Amino acid sequence: MVTDLRERRQVRVAVVGSGFGGLGAAVRLRREGITDFVVLERADTVGGTWRDNSYPGCACDVPSHLYSFSFAPNPDWPRTFSGQRHIRAYLEHVADTFGLRPHLRLGHEVRLMRWDADAAHWEIETSQGVFTAEVVVSATGALSDPRIPEIPGLDGFPGKVFHSARWDHGYDLRGRRVAVVGTGASAIQIVPAIQPEVARLTLFQRTPPWVMPRVDRAISGAERALHRALPFTGAVRRQMLWGIRELQVQAFTKRPNELGLVESLAKANIARAIKDPALRARLTPSYRIGCKRILLSSTYYPALARPNVDLVASGLAEVRGSTLVAADGTETEADAVVFGTGFHVTDMPIAERVVGKHGITLAESWKDGMASLRGATAVGFPNWMTIVGPNTGLGNSSMILMIEAQLSYLADYLRQLDGLGGRGGTGRAVLTPRPAAVDAWNRRVQERMRRTVWNTGGCTSWYLDAGGRNTTIWPGTTGEFRRATRRVDLAEYEVGRAGVPGQRTATTRKKETAR
């Protein structure tokens, strides 16, 4: 969609990103009667991480009926665990069904968002023009910017190099010597998908994951017909899936030792496919199951047992021409390197592009670790909210549940703004979380985090930031989070007005200097 340069570029709400969070926010805005908004998307289609991750074997590890919006049930999921193609098609369907296309601004990469206190709005510079918005909803997601580690000599590698989230579909892997770096959720799907066609596959494993069988099957035509004819049956199915996962939370958050039985089942899963004792030992983690996300696959271990696959139980340390050198000294020749090394989660690049009321970026504000109020709002950033913010991630359930909870918080946030000051003019209200409220919320979260498996399980994971704090995972049930974000507590916020003296920013000072 190409933006009409004559269009009005001042909006009430600007949503950044068009994945589940961004499209969900757009649907909620329309359901609240708000139509004066845009969805800014840097790519040329919607879909977020399910658009970007199109690697072979890409699929979700959450059951389909739970990994979808409660307000947009899909009775026609083809499998119990859906693949990337079907999830992306679902998001396109949501955009069409809820009339979101007129609000989309595709190809609009956000380069800078700056708060103007005098006007009480955000100035948003994009690759296709400037917008102003009273409220910004950042829904860029944690899994949007790939992370490739700095490997000495990688720039001189003569073959092909790409990240799993930027898969090069024009490069033919057949008959090639391929190295996969990393053993996270993407890698365990890629390895069995490409193993049959490559000449040699070498997997660089710094830390082995715990992998449980993926109990996936095709959903029968009769089941789909039932869900179409009687929609409540799909809702019941979703509720059962949700309830099972809610019951599991106690073991992750309060009683990690109870995960021992699950660990035994995971070890049995390794033993069934891997007969070589030495290989089995290298694939068995030394940390408590659940410390890193438990992965699901019934094809990963069988693929590793194939004769054209080598496991290097060490990270990639150096590249010398076409030779890959592991930290343990193992050398491997390769034609292509695929990085399944995750994303910038605790250091999201979008944070460097958000400038708040004190003239500092969100990245600077979060230099000692991400922190927000109820996973949504940040100190010094008025009328700004993030979807899937700090400590809203899950280790065992569907992120759509957390997103929907945050959408309720967003809706009440906008209602509070309306009730406090109306819209337009100098009476427009501004809400900024109080530092004491943010500190109190995060103290409670981190206190609860202390005994969780993610903090005590003996692993190093992407859940932890550079300082060792777990700033990504929610240490409770989704029901608890939903209750905590049902309403905005105004006592946790400072209320301001447009144009009130003393609310000066870098933008204001620049204007004063110019005069």
Side-chain angles (χ1 to χ4, degrees):
M1 180 182 296
V2 178
T3 301
D4 183 347
L5 295 179
R6 297 167 298 178
E7 75 172 340
R8 180 170 58 88
R9 292 178 178 262
Q10 182 175 351
V11 296
R12 184 181 183 194
V13 182
V15 179
V16 184
S18 68
F20 269 99
L23 294 182
V27 172
R28 189 57 187 258
L29 290 173
R30 286 188 61 90
R31 297 178 80 179
E32 293 291 319
I34 299 171
T35 57
D36 184 14
F37 70 92
V38 293
V39 179
L40 304 172
E41 169 57 56
R42 64 186 177 185
D44 58 1
T45 60
V46 302
T49 190
W50 294 105
R51 173 200 59 235
D52 296 341
N53 287 270
S54 59
Y55 58 80
C58 183
C60 189
D61 60 0
V62 175
S64 303
H65 287 84
L66 193 60
Y67 198 79
S68 47
F69 291 121
S70 63
F71 53 79
N74 178 17
D76 290 313
W77 287 117
R79 303 195 65 83
T80 52
F81 290 90
S82 289
Q84 176 263 347
R85 178 169 61 90
H86 295 105
I87 296 173
R88 182 177 176 183
Y90 171 78
L91 289 171
E92 295 280 1
H93 174 74
V94 168
D96 291 330
T97 301
F98 291 91
L100 305 184
R101 299 290 178 186
H103 301 279
L104 296 176
R105 298 298 180 267
L106 303 176
H108 281 62
E109 181 176 7
V110 171
R111 293 173 174 169
L112 183 67
M113 293 185 279
R114 185 184 295 275
W115 175 252
D116 185 326
D118 288 341
H121 67 209
W122 286 90
E123 297 175 355
I124 307 169
E125 297 178 17
T126 79
S127 56
Q128 293 198 44
V130 177
F131 292 79
T132 62
E134 296 172 24
V135 177
V136 165
V137 180
S138 179
T140 58
L143 307 181
S144 57
D145 291 284
R147 185 182 65 83
I148 293 181
E150 295 183 5
I151 306 294
L154 182 61
D155 290 345
F157 180 70
K160 193 72 176 179
V161 177
F162 51 87
H163 190 277
S164 59
R166 300 291 185 268
W167 194 271
D168 188 341
H169 291 278
Y171 182 77
D172 191 354
L173 293 177
R174 286 178 297 182
R176 308 276 189 176
R177 298 168 300 177
V178 180
V180 175
V181 181
T183 51
S186 299
I188 71 156
Q189 295 179 345
I190 292 169
V191 167
I194 67 172
Q195 174 270 319
E197 63 185 38
V198 302
R200 189 117 212 124
L201 193 155
T202 302
L203 177 64
F204 285 83
Q205 170 193 272
R206 189 172 58 182
T207 308
W210 284 109
V211 182
M212 294 288 286
R214 181 185 179 88
V215 187
D216 186 25
R217 65 172 178 83
I219 297 177
S220 69
E223 290 175 273
R224 297 198 297 271
L226 177 65
H227 294 331
R228 283 195 301 271
L230 300 172
F232 78 89
T233 61
V236 169
R237 184 175 191 158
R238 175 188 174 88
Q239 194 74 3
M240 291 177 61
L241 291 168
W242 168 77
I244 291 170
R245 280 153 182 78
E246 291 290 272
L247 293 174
Q248 296 171 348
V249 171
Q250 293 287 336
F252 286 88
T253 60
K254 295 180 180 179
R255 296 187 289 272
N257 287 336
E258 292 184 357
L259 292 166
L261 174 60
V262 181
E263 199 167 288
S264 298
L265 295 174
K267 288 180 179 178
N269 187 40
I270 301 174
R272 274 193 297 272
I274 306 298
K275 304 308 178 185
D276 179 359
L279 178 58
R280 193 161 61 237
R282 285 182 288 160
L283 290 171
T284 302
S286 59
Y287 56 86
R288 171 65 75 192
I289 193 169
C291 185
K292 292 173 179 280
R293 189 175 179 100
I294 300 173
L295 306 181
L296 302 180
S297 176
S298 297
T299 56
Y300 177 64
Y301 291 134
L304 293 183
R306 301 301 298 168
N308 67 330
V309 177
D310 294 314
L311 175 72
V312 177
S314 183
L316 178 60
E318 184 182 358
V319 178
R320 301 173 190 159
S322 60
T323 303
L324 310 183
V325 184
D328 65 0
T330 302
E331 295 187 1
T332 302
E333 294 295 313
D335 302 309
V337 180
V338 178
F339 283 93
T341 45
F343 301 84
H344 290 277
V345 177
T346 60
D347 58 341
M348 294 183 290
I350 190 67
E352 298 173 355
R353 307 179 188 185
V354 184
V355 181
K357 68 177 183 178
H358 300 302
I360 65 172
T361 66
L362 185 62
E364 292 170 325
S365 177
W366 284 352
K367 66 181 186 299
D368 296 323
M370 298 190 299
S372 66
L373 177 59
R374 303 181 187 273
T377 55
V379 172
F381 296 83
N383 290 13
W384 180 90
M385 183 175 294
T386 182
I387 305 295
V388 189
N391 290 114
T392 60
L394 295 175
N396 75 312
S397 191
S398 171
M399 279 304 302
I400 313 306
L401 301 167
M402 302 296 278
I403 289 172
E404 289 196 29
Q406 291 197 289
L407 298 182
S408 295
Y409 196 75
L410 167 64
D412 197 50
Y413 188 92
L414 294 170
R415 292 188 208 110
Q416 296 290 350
L417 286 174
D418 281 350
L420 288 166
R423 296 196 51 228
T426 58
R428 188 187 307 138
V430 175
L431 285 177
T432 313
R434 297 178 182 276
V438 176
D439 289 344
W441 172 261
N442 282 280
R443 278 198 305 272
R444 292 196 298 271
V445 169
Q446 292 303 320
E447 178 62 28
R448 294 183 62 180
M449 195 71 71
R450 287 175 56 188
R451 57 177 175 172
T452 67
V453 69
W454 307 300
N455 279 34
T456 65
C459 72
T460 300
S461 72
W462 58 264
Y463 298 154
L464 309 180
D465 64 16
R469 291 177 65 244
N470 192 326
T471 57
T472 58
I473 295 294
W474 168 245
T477 66
T478 62
E480 287 179 286
F481 187 77
R482 183 173 63 247
R483 291 189 292 273
T485 54
R486 183 169 289 137
R487 295 283 185 272
V488 169
D489 181 358
L490 285 180
E492 296 180 328
Y493 285 87
E494 298 171 352
V495 181
R497 304 287 176 191
V500 173
Q503 295 183 343
R504 298 167 69 251
T505 65
T507 303
T508 308
R509 290 192 291 272
K510 186 184 295 184
K511 292 177 181 176
E512 291 172 351
T513 303
R515 289 196 294 269

